[in-house]
Amino acid sequence: MFSEKRNEGRVGHASSLIVGRTAGRVRGRERLNVYYDEDADLSVLKNDIVAIVGYGNQGQAQALNMRDSGVNVIVGNVKDSYYDQAAKDGFKAYSIGEAAKQATIICMIIPDEVQKGVYETEIQQHLSKGKMLVFSSGYNIHFGFIAPPKDVDVIDMFPLTFGARVRERFLNRQSLGSFLAIGQDATGKAKQKALALAKAIGCTRGGTFETTFAHETEINLYLEQVVYPAIFRIMALSFDVLVDAGYPPELVSLEMYLSKEPSEFFASMAELGFFESAKVGSTTAQYGEMTRAPRIIKDDIKNIMKEHLREIQTGVFANEWALEQAAGYPVFNKLRKEGLEHPMNEVEKRVKKLIRPQEAQSKIQSG
Ligand code: NAI
C-alpha cells in the first residue's frame, strides 16, 4: 500500500478547526487545515502544462475552470466523443500518451476502474522526475493499484460535487469546496502547486480541506456503499409497500422523489443543519420522523455498517470490484438490468410527461 505522509504543514494563513473524531482507526483530536483563495498563488503554475486526462464529467469542468483561471491546459483522451468535445471547446486534444509526455502536471480524471491500465500503458513512461500526478479520487493510489515512482509529486484533488456543478458554481461565483491530500511531495512544492490547482478549479472559494488519500477514499466509499444505498433501498421498498396497499404508483413516485422535494430537503440540511432542517417540515412531519426513525432503523444496524466499513478499510471491496471487472462485469450488469426492469421506471416515465417543465410554466405566466 502506498505510504502517506501525515499532512501537517500549513501554507499561508489557512484557518484551522479542531474536530473531534469519535470513530475510525485514528482516535483522538486532529487539526484540520482549510485553505482559501488567499492561501493559493496561481503564478506557481506559470511554467506548467496541465494535461487533463479524461474529458468527462469532472475532466471537462476542471479543464474549463483551469483555463478560465489562466492555466495552460491541454487534453489527453482516447478518440471518442469526449475527445471531439474537448477539441470543440477549443482545447489542444492529444492521445493520452502524447498529453502525458508534453505535460508537467497530469490529472487522471478517467473512471477509477480504467486508471490502472491507462496508467501502465500510456502514462508511467512519461512520468519523469519532478512531474506531478493528480487524481480526483484517491482510490487507485490508496488500494495500491497504481504505484507512481518516488521522484514525482502525487496529490488527490477531490471536488465535493459533480462535474456539472463544478463548472456551474465556478461560472456563477458560488461556493465550491474540495478535499486535498498530498500523497507524495518529491519536489517540495507539491502543496503550493496543489493549492494553486485547487484555486484554478475554484475549490479554494468555499474551502479546500486537507486530508489523506485514505480518509478521502474510505469516507467516499462508505457514503456510496452505506448511506446512499440505505436511502435508495428504503425508497424502493416503500414503493412496493404503498403500491401493494393500493396507492396509485404515480402519486407515490411523485411525492417520494419526482417532485424533487428530497433534493430540496437535503439542500436545507446543508444550509440549516442536520436537525434544524427538520423544521422545514410541519410539526406533524417532525413528530412522525422523530418517533418512527429509531423504530425503522434500529441502533444495532451499526454492526452491519461497521462490517461494511471494515470491508472498505481492509481492501475486501476493492479486491471484489477488481475481480468483477476482470470477469467482465457479470454482477454489475445483472443488477443494473434488474433495476432498469423495476416497475418504477415505467411509472416515472408516465409521471414526467405530466409535469410541466420550468420553461412551459414561464411561457404560461408571461403569455
Ligand atoms: P466519466 O465517466 O465522465 O469519464 C469519462 C472519461 O473517461 C472520458 O474522457 C472517456 O474518454 C474516458 N474513458 C472512459 N473509459 C476509458 C478507457 N478505457 N480508457 C481511456 N479513457 C477512458 O468519469 P468521471 O465521473 O468524470 O470520473 C472521473 C474521476 O473523477 C474518477 O476518479 C472519479 O472518482 C472522480 N470524481 C468524479 C466525480 C463526479 O462528479 N463524477 C466527483 C469527484 C471525483
Side-chain angles (χ1 to χ4, degrees):
M1 189 154 313
F2 190 69
S3 80
E4 283 178 356
K5 288 175 190 159
R6 269 260 157 257
N7 298 312
E8 279 159 358
R10 292 183 59 193
V11 170
H13 50 281
S15 72
S16 290
L17 305 171
I18 301 293
V19 288
R21 295 185 51 84
T22 54
R25 287 166 300 174
V26 185
R27 289 185 182 268
R29 293 174 82 79
E30 222 174 62
R31 184 172 290 277
L32 186 61
N33 290 331
V34 193
Y35 301 94
Y36 303 99
D37 279 352
E38 61 272 26
D39 301 313
D41 176 7
L42 287 172
S43 73
V44 301
L45 300 174
K46 67 179 185 295
N47 297 323
D48 283 300
I49 298 176
V50 176
I52 298 291
V53 172
Y55 201 72
N57 290 319
Q58 273 295 326
Q60 181 182 30
Q62 293 189 27
L64 291 168
N65 291 5
M66 283 192 211
R67 183 173 67 184
D68 287 353
S69 299
V71 177
N72 187 0
V73 180
I74 60 172
V75 170
N77 213 95
V78 287
K79 285 264 185 178
D80 60 8
S81 58
Y82 297 97
Y83 180 101
D84 297 339
Q85 185 64 46
K88 207 168 135 202
D89 289 347
F91 287 101
K92 285 183 184 158
Y94 301 97
S95 68
I96 294 175
E98 180 56 30
K101 188 173 157 194
Q102 288 189 24
T104 51
I105 298 178
I106 301 161
C107 301
M108 285 283 266
I109 323 187
I110 52 179
D112 293 334
E113 67 271 24
V114 302
Q115 287 187 7
K116 178 180 160 65
V118 170
Y119 173 84
E120 286 170 356
T121 54
E122 305 278 343
I123 293 181
Q124 68 180 353
Q125 64 271 35
H126 302 298
L127 275 181
S128 50
K129 187 177 173 187
K131 285 198 180 186
M132 177 182 259
L133 192 55
V134 182
F135 292 86
S136 284
S137 134
Y139 192 91
N140 281 285
I141 293 290
H142 177 56
F143 291 114
F145 294 117
I146 294 178
K150 292 282 167 233
D151 56 2
V152 301
D153 294 341
V154 183
I155 68 157
D156 178 14
M157 170 72 61
F158 183 83
L160 291 166
T161 189
F162 316 124
R165 296 280 173 278
V166 168
R167 182 62 181 155
E168 196 180 283
R169 291 194 196 176
F170 180 88
L171 289 174
N172 296 333
R173 298 210 59 77
Q174 288 166 321
S175 178
L176 174 64
S178 70
F179 284 155
L180 168 66
I182 311 291
Q184 215 165 258
D185 182 8
T187 62
K189 293 185 185 146
K191 191 154 174 180
Q192 265 185 318
K193 288 209 172 180
L195 287 174
L197 289 171
K199 184 173 184 173
I201 299 167
C203 295
T204 45
R205 282 185 192 166
T208 287
F209 288 71
E210 192 163 5
T211 181
T212 60
F213 274 72
H215 286 189
E216 181 275 292
T217 306
E218 291 174 2
I219 294 170
N220 184 244
L221 289 174
Y222 181 87
L223 293 177
E224 288 170 357
Q225 292 176 32
V226 178
V227 178
Y228 301 129
I231 297 170
F232 300 150
R233 178 101 176 121
I234 289 278
M235 288 169 85
L237 292 177
S238 294
F239 179 89
D240 294 345
V241 167
L242 290 169
V243 173
D244 288 350
Y247 298 93
E250 293 82 0
L251 301 195
V252 170
S253 307
L254 187 62
E255 172 120 24
M256 197 156 62
Y257 67 100
L258 290 171
S259 60
K260 299 193 180 170
E261 195 184 5
S263 60
E264 283 154 8
F265 184 72
F266 278 104
S268 303
M269 198 186 277
E271 277 155 30
L272 304 175
F274 190 82
F275 290 104
E276 279 293 319
S277 64
K279 291 185 186 159
V280 300
S282 66
T283 40
T284 308
Q286 290 176 53
Y287 179 76
E289 280 160 23
M290 290 187 289
T291 53
R292 269 53 185 177
R295 283 173 55 191
I296 297 166
I297 311 236
K298 299 191 179 15
D299 279 1
D300 59 10
I301 199 178
K302 275 190 180 173
N303 293 328
I304 300 171
M305 293 156 93
K306 285 177 186 170
E307 203 179 300
H308 286 284
L309 179 59
R310 269 193 300 277
E311 285 191 3
I312 292 167
Q313 291 172 330
T314 54
V316 167
F317 171 79
N319 287 334
E320 177 187 319
W321 181 214
L323 288 173
E324 169 71 4
Q325 291 155 32
Y329 298 83
V331 176
F332 181 91
N333 289 333
K334 176 176 169 284
L335 295 177
R336 191 139 82 166
K337 185 165 173 281
E338 277 173 21
L340 293 173
E341 283 166 2
H342 192 281
M344 279 169 96
N345 296 288
E346 280 308 313
V347 173
E348 73 191 17
K349 271 184 210 146
R350 286 202 299 276
V351 178
K352 283 172 87 171
K353 277 190 197 144
L354 296 173
I355 302 174
R356 280 184 176 165
Q358 187 64 42
E359 219 172 82
Q361 284 172 11
S362 324
K363 269 187 203 147
I364 291 166
Q365 278 156 15
S366 63

